[in-house]
Amino acid sequence: LYRSLIRQLGLALPNDTNRVDAIIWMQGEQDAKKIADAQLYQVRFNQFIQALRQSLKAPNSLVVMGRVNPQDPGFKMVELVQSSQAQLARTVPNTVLVDTQGLGTAFDLVHYNAQGQMELGRRLAQAYILRRR
């Protein structure tokens, strides 16, 4: 999937005058299901950020990530993943964490319903705008 992502971005940004200014990311719920994945979340996501910035030749691109917040009780390690996300936002330059508290969820208690997705989009956009002023 990583190679496909980079290839698609290469098609979207066909010359060197274009650059990726920000990476908007909402992911990590599955990592909150198992302790082994939750324990590795911070290291893996940090590696992903660094690899993306390098591949895109955008070392200072802003990373705006949404705080995982599944309500399903099967996601027992959610607090550990949330803690990892907060630590990443504190320690990885140009990385910001967006709160997702109060967003409406779909029937699965993991994904956001239409209103929740709209509000998440507003929050992510606001974080981008505030950091780029």
Side-chain angles (χ1 to χ4, degrees):
L1 292 176
Y2 182 82
R3 278 187 253 147
S4 179
L5 170 67
I6 298 303
R7 183 177 57 76
Q8 290 296 320
L9 285 169
L11 294 172
L13 304 169
N15 60 53
D16 288 339
T17 61
N18 297 317
R19 67 180 178 86
V20 174
D21 188 51
I23 299 158
I24 310 295
W25 196 258
M26 183 69 228
Q27 179 277 335
E29 289 81 4
Q30 286 299 319
D31 296 282
K33 279 189 166 183
K34 297 179 184 171
I35 191 164
D37 292 331
Q39 289 173 330
L40 291 171
Y41 183 86
Q42 185 174 339
V43 170
R44 288 176 175 167
F45 194 59
N46 187 24
Q47 290 171 339
F48 179 69
I49 291 169
Q50 303 314 318
L52 257 181
R53 287 174 171 168
Q54 182 177 3
S55 294
L56 299 173
K57 298 180 180 118
N60 298 313
S61 62
L62 178 64
V63 174
V64 181
M65 62 179 157
R67 182 176 178 259
V68 299
N69 195 23
Q71 302 300 306
D72 183 309
F75 296 80
K76 297 183 185 314
M77 300 291 113
V78 68
E79 290 180 12
L80 180 55
V81 173
Q82 290 172 338
S83 175
S84 294
Q85 288 181 310
Q87 182 68 13
L88 285 163
R90 284 190 299 273
T91 60
V92 177
N94 294 323
T95 302
V96 63
L97 182 60
V98 172
D99 186 30
T100 57
Q101 194 67 28
L103 298 180
T105 59
F107 68 92
D108 65 1
L109 301 177
V110 178
H111 297 95
Y112 298 112
N113 61 22
Q115 293 86 1
Q117 289 180 37
M118 294 294 291
E119 180 58 26
L120 175 61
R122 281 190 277 282
R123 291 179 189 184
L124 294 167
Q126 183 178 26
Y128 169 78
I129 291 165
L130 289 173
R131 287 296 291 261
R132 286 301 187 218
R133 282 189 177 166

